[in-house]
Amino acid sequence: MDFRSARRAILQFLDTVAPAERPELLRWMRTTRDFDEFTQENNDIILKNIADDLRNCLPLETMLPSEQVALQKIQQQPEPTVHVDAFLYDEDIIDSLCEERKMSRNYCMVCGSRQTAPLGFISHSFSLMELKFIYHHVLPDLSGKVLVDVGSRLGTVLYGGYLYSSAMQLYGVELNGDFCQLQEMVINKYQFSDRIKVLHADICTQDSLLQNADVVIMNNVFEYFLNETDQARAWEYISRNVKKQGSLLVTVPSLEDSISGLQTNVQLSSWVEEMPLSYDVYPQMDIDREALEQIHLYKIL
């Protein structure tokens, strides 16, 4: 059956539904996850097209001149480390770039020798697989829910939430104006504006948004962008305002790792309960399990 015939058949079927039941059926059709098996492949393609668009707008390292603090912290890592955005560059693309000598997985320990060691890779974005893991296996049905991505950067969590969940509203809060512009470009091109909104703001000014959120996602959000004093201040603000009982917090890395070493008054035991996750949901696939294990889910007490 071609598209026009299928469309006609669906409309004819809707005409047979009792008028009193039709609104409920239409609501179900708009929000259900029952169609995932039919739309999943198309959603993957859309996200890959978005990645193509963003790669064309950004340098290879996906870092902007306006990110001086993050650039300095990457350079201060004990081992040579480069930023490789996991959403923009999957393993196949990295392999191709290495073959073209535009990227390397190794560095020379002694200049001019064959003694090499692996470069450290760091990403401030979730990969496609990580996004699918979060929305399909970490989070529950988000129908009618509000999700907030703290430090939305390229917007990957927002686009994934639009395509892989039924969240009513997805908010990204991003301090860097350059990244806000990139997100708006994608939102407009792919017509996501009915459910996605990006705020150019410091998260520490968004108390009402955080207090009303059902889900908050934080991926490497402060460590590379703030000094330790400002990190502690930000975490205390988050813990004071993400207080809606039963709401969910998704973090990379764990909250324990994020606040260890900081002078902060955050008391995790009275704020959150960590929820167990199964990382064995893709047994037949070649995945980066270590990356999935960095994802943690907490319920607000």
Side-chain angles (χ1 to χ4, degrees):
M1 183 182 294
D2 62 20
F3 169 75
R4 294 181 64 181
S5 299
R7 178 176 177 273
R8 185 166 54 251
I10 291 171
L11 292 174
Q12 288 172 348
F13 169 75
L14 288 173
D15 281 338
T16 69
V17 177
E21 300 296 327
R22 198 174 298 151
E24 180 65 16
L25 177 63
L26 292 172
R27 186 198 65 79
W28 169 79
M29 293 175 69
R30 283 195 297 268
T31 61
T32 184
R33 297 291 298 273
D34 292 348
F35 298 144
D36 281 1
E37 62 181 297
F38 305 109
T39 61
Q40 182 174 340
E41 182 178 350
N42 185 56
N43 289 336
D44 291 357
I45 292 171
I46 292 172
L47 285 176
K48 289 177 180 179
N49 288 340
I50 292 172
D52 289 341
D53 292 339
L54 291 171
R55 276 197 303 274
N56 291 329
C57 298
L58 291 162
L60 186 62
E61 64 276 12
T62 328
M63 300 291 290
L64 299 178
S66 52
E67 298 184 282
Q68 286 303 311
V69 173
L71 289 165
Q72 291 172 8
K73 289 200 173 188
I74 290 174
Q75 292 168 359
Q76 292 166 0
Q77 294 298 301
E79 299 293 339
T81 300
V82 293
H83 181 263
V84 179
D85 192 278
F87 178 69
L88 302 189
Y89 298 98
D90 62 21
E91 289 297 315
D92 290 339
I93 294 177
I94 291 173
D95 287 342
S96 296
L97 290 170
C98 288
E99 290 175 5
E100 297 170 11
R101 298 190 176 183
K102 295 179 179 178
M103 184 182 288
S104 176
R105 294 183 183 272
N106 302 289
Y107 72 97
C108 180
M109 300 173 67
V110 180
C111 187
S113 78
R114 295 184 178 180
Q115 189 176 359
T116 62
L119 274 168
F121 282 6
I122 185 170
S123 173
H124 299 307
S125 296
F126 288 119
S127 68
L128 179 61
M129 179 60 69
E130 289 164 339
L131 288 172
K132 293 168 75 170
F133 176 67
I134 289 170
Y135 286 111
H136 291 163
H137 301 287
V138 173
L139 295 173
D141 177 23
L142 298 183
S143 296
K145 305 298 184 182
V146 173
L147 181 147
V148 175
D149 182 24
V150 179
S152 52
R153 198 171 175 83
L154 299 180
T156 55
V157 167
L158 306 177
Y159 316 141
Y162 191 98
L163 296 168
Y164 293 138
S165 86
S166 300
M168 177 178 67
Q169 194 69 48
L170 301 135
Y171 289 96
V173 182
E174 175 55 53
L175 186 59
N176 187 300
D178 295 328
F179 285 123
C180 288
Q181 290 181 13
L182 285 174
Q183 291 176 80
E184 293 292 353
M185 175 196 76
V186 172
I187 291 167
N188 291 331
K189 177 174 180 178
Y190 291 88
Q191 300 180 4
F192 291 160
S193 60
D194 57 322
R195 290 169 53 211
I196 294 180
K197 184 174 182 180
V198 175
L199 304 176
H200 180 197
D202 183 338
I203 191 59
C204 292
T205 66
Q206 300 299 310
D207 51 351
S208 178
L209 182 66
L210 291 172
Q211 289 163 14
N212 289 287
D214 299 293
V215 177
V216 176
I217 297 185
M218 306 175 70
N219 179 19
N220 277 335
V221 69
F222 299 136
E223 180 184 357
Y224 285 88
F225 303 96
L226 301 174
N227 60 44
E228 290 188 355
T229 300
D230 288 339
Q231 286 181 57
R233 178 180 67 89
W235 278 114
E236 289 179 359
Y237 184 89
I238 294 291
S239 68
R240 286 197 306 270
N241 288 286
V242 181
K243 297 290 285 184
K244 186 176 182 180
Q245 189 173 17
S247 60
L248 300 173
L249 179 61
V250 178
T251 71
V252 172
S254 68
L255 288 175
E256 291 82 358
D257 288 346
S258 294
I259 67 174
S260 65
L262 299 177
Q263 297 296 317
T264 174
N265 295 319
V266 176
Q267 299 296 319
L268 294 182
S269 61
S270 60
W271 178 34
V272 298
E273 175 189 359
E274 182 160 14
M275 309 301 290
L277 296 176
S278 172
Y279 300 102
D280 297 317
V281 293
Y282 302 114
Q284 311 265 314
M285 300 178 66
D286 181 17
I287 63 163
D288 185 351
R289 183 189 170 96
E290 185 177 348
L292 296 187
E293 290 176 347
Q294 289 294 307
I295 298 171
H296 294 263
L297 175 68
Y298 301 88
K299 182 172 69 173
I300 305 302
L301 299 174

